[in-house]
Amino acid sequence: MERTCEELFKRRRSYYELSAESPVSDAQIEEIVRFALKHIPSAFNSQSTRLVLLLHEHHAELWKIVKRTLRAIVPEEAFARTEEKVDRSFASGYGTVLFYEDSAVVRALQQRFPTYAGNFPVWSEHTSAMHQLALWTLLEEAGFGASLQHYNPLIDKDVRAQWRLPEEWRLIAQMPFGLPLAPPAEKMFEPVEARMRIFR
């Protein structure tokens, strides 16, 4: 039975214990990513979002890059805990989606619409955020658990080199996903009444 949009948004949570199993085929995962990339809106219909889907050894290589990068900057006495978190919560998953924004598209809009030039980088971030939420929710609906991570800009150069990605692509976030091994932590909610205003 299909769930309503409200139910899907409510169930979308951060999962930090993942296994390298998938409830759907790789082809279905690819279709989920394609769907989000095609149908999620963007400012001025800029379509500035770029997505990179890493599966199998490519997924594993990303998190090796993360650990190698962190080892160089995290104090030795703290690294074991950092490594455990990466291994259990991210590297242990089935795949990762990398969210990029194309800086060339943003610059072209700034030149075309100079009145809004200062807004386009911000609107680009909004575009990325919509793709992140949509893809997170679609992965949840498919049976995955996921979380959103931000190891950029620390890993940007090595990731770009590893997969020969364009210089113009700016890394925004990483979304590891896999079969959830444990329920998400309890979520606390601030009172809605303190966060909105209604005028009738």
PDB file of all heavy atoms in Angstrom, residues 55 62 78 87 132 155 184-185:
ATOM      1  N   LEU A  55      28.273   3.328  -6.240  1.00  0.00           N
ATOM      2  CA  LEU A  55      27.869   2.015  -5.744  1.00  0.00           C
ATOM      3  C   LEU A  55      29.071   1.084  -5.659  1.00  0.00           C
ATOM      4  O   LEU A  55      30.073   1.295  -6.343  1.00  0.00           O
ATOM      5  CB  LEU A  55      26.807   1.402  -6.664  1.00  0.00           C
ATOM      6  CG  LEU A  55      25.490   2.178  -6.821  1.00  0.00           C
ATOM      7  CD1 LEU A  55      24.610   1.526  -7.884  1.00  0.00           C
ATOM      8  CD2 LEU A  55      24.749   2.259  -5.495  1.00  0.00           C
ATOM      9  N   LEU A  62      35.071   6.178  -1.826  1.00  0.00           N
ATOM     10  CA  LEU A  62      34.764   7.501  -1.286  1.00  0.00           C
ATOM     11  C   LEU A  62      35.092   7.568   0.195  1.00  0.00           C
ATOM     12  O   LEU A  62      35.734   8.514   0.666  1.00  0.00           O
ATOM     13  CB  LEU A  62      33.289   7.838  -1.495  1.00  0.00           C
ATOM     14  CG  LEU A  62      32.838   9.115  -0.763  1.00  0.00           C
ATOM     15  CD1 LEU A  62      33.412  10.346  -1.438  1.00  0.00           C
ATOM     16  CD2 LEU A  62      31.331   9.189  -0.655  1.00  0.00           C
ATOM     17  N   ALA A  78      42.006  10.699  18.962  1.00  0.00           N
ATOM     18  CA  ALA A  78      40.582  10.805  18.634  1.00  0.00           C
ATOM     19  C   ALA A  78      40.219  10.082  17.345  1.00  0.00           C
ATOM     20  O   ALA A  78      39.033   9.882  17.055  1.00  0.00           O
ATOM     21  CB  ALA A  78      40.177  12.278  18.528  1.00  0.00           C
ATOM     22  N   ASP A  87      33.131   4.042   9.473  1.00  0.00           N
ATOM     23  CA  ASP A  87      32.972   2.646   9.056  1.00  0.00           C
ATOM     24  C   ASP A  87      31.569   2.118   9.325  1.00  0.00           C
ATOM     25  O   ASP A  87      30.988   1.429   8.483  1.00  0.00           O
ATOM     26  CB  ASP A  87      33.997   1.756   9.776  1.00  0.00           C
ATOM     27  CG  ASP A  87      35.400   1.924   9.225  1.00  0.00           C
ATOM     28  OD1 ASP A  87      35.552   2.446   8.111  1.00  0.00           O
ATOM     29  OD2 ASP A  87      36.358   1.532   9.930  1.00  0.00           O
ATOM     30  N   GLN A 132      18.165  17.195  -2.212  1.00  0.00           N
ATOM     31  CA  GLN A 132      18.569  16.365  -1.077  1.00  0.00           C
ATOM     32  C   GLN A 132      17.347  15.787  -0.366  1.00  0.00           C
ATOM     33  O   GLN A 132      17.286  14.580  -0.090  1.00  0.00           O
ATOM     34  CB  GLN A 132      19.411  17.180  -0.104  1.00  0.00           C
ATOM     35  CG  GLN A 132      20.771  17.580  -0.646  1.00  0.00           C
ATOM     36  CD  GLN A 132      21.411  18.693   0.149  1.00  0.00           C
ATOM     37  OE1 GLN A 132      21.209  18.804   1.350  1.00  0.00           O
ATOM     38  NE2 GLN A 132      22.177  19.553  -0.511  1.00  0.00           N
ATOM     39  N   ILE A 155      37.358  17.039   1.294  1.00  0.00           N
ATOM     40  CA  ILE A 155      37.577  15.935   0.365  1.00  0.00           C
ATOM     41  C   ILE A 155      37.423  16.332  -1.098  1.00  0.00           C
ATOM     42  O   ILE A 155      37.605  15.504  -1.994  1.00  0.00           O
ATOM     43  CB  ILE A 155      36.620  14.766   0.671  1.00  0.00           C
ATOM     44  CG1 ILE A 155      35.152  15.200   0.478  1.00  0.00           C
ATOM     45  CG2 ILE A 155      36.851  14.234   2.083  1.00  0.00           C
ATOM     46  CD1 ILE A 155      34.150  14.065   0.583  1.00  0.00           C
ATOM     47  N   PRO A 184      16.162   4.886  13.980  1.00  0.00           N
ATOM     48  CA  PRO A 184      16.771   6.202  14.198  1.00  0.00           C
ATOM     49  C   PRO A 184      16.577   6.653  15.639  1.00  0.00           C
ATOM     50  O   PRO A 184      15.706   6.155  16.354  1.00  0.00           O
ATOM     51  CB  PRO A 184      16.002   7.109  13.235  1.00  0.00           C
ATOM     52  CG  PRO A 184      14.682   6.440  13.066  1.00  0.00           C
ATOM     53  CD  PRO A 184      14.948   4.966  13.153  1.00  0.00           C
ATOM     54  N   ALA A 185      17.407   7.604  16.051  1.00  0.00           N
ATOM     55  CA  ALA A 185      17.274   8.156  17.405  1.00  0.00           C
ATOM     56  C   ALA A 185      15.962   8.911  17.531  1.00  0.00           C
ATOM     57  O   ALA A 185      15.372   9.361  16.538  1.00  0.00           O
ATOM     58  CB  ALA A 185      18.451   9.088  17.689  1.00  0.00           C
TER      59      ALA A 185
END
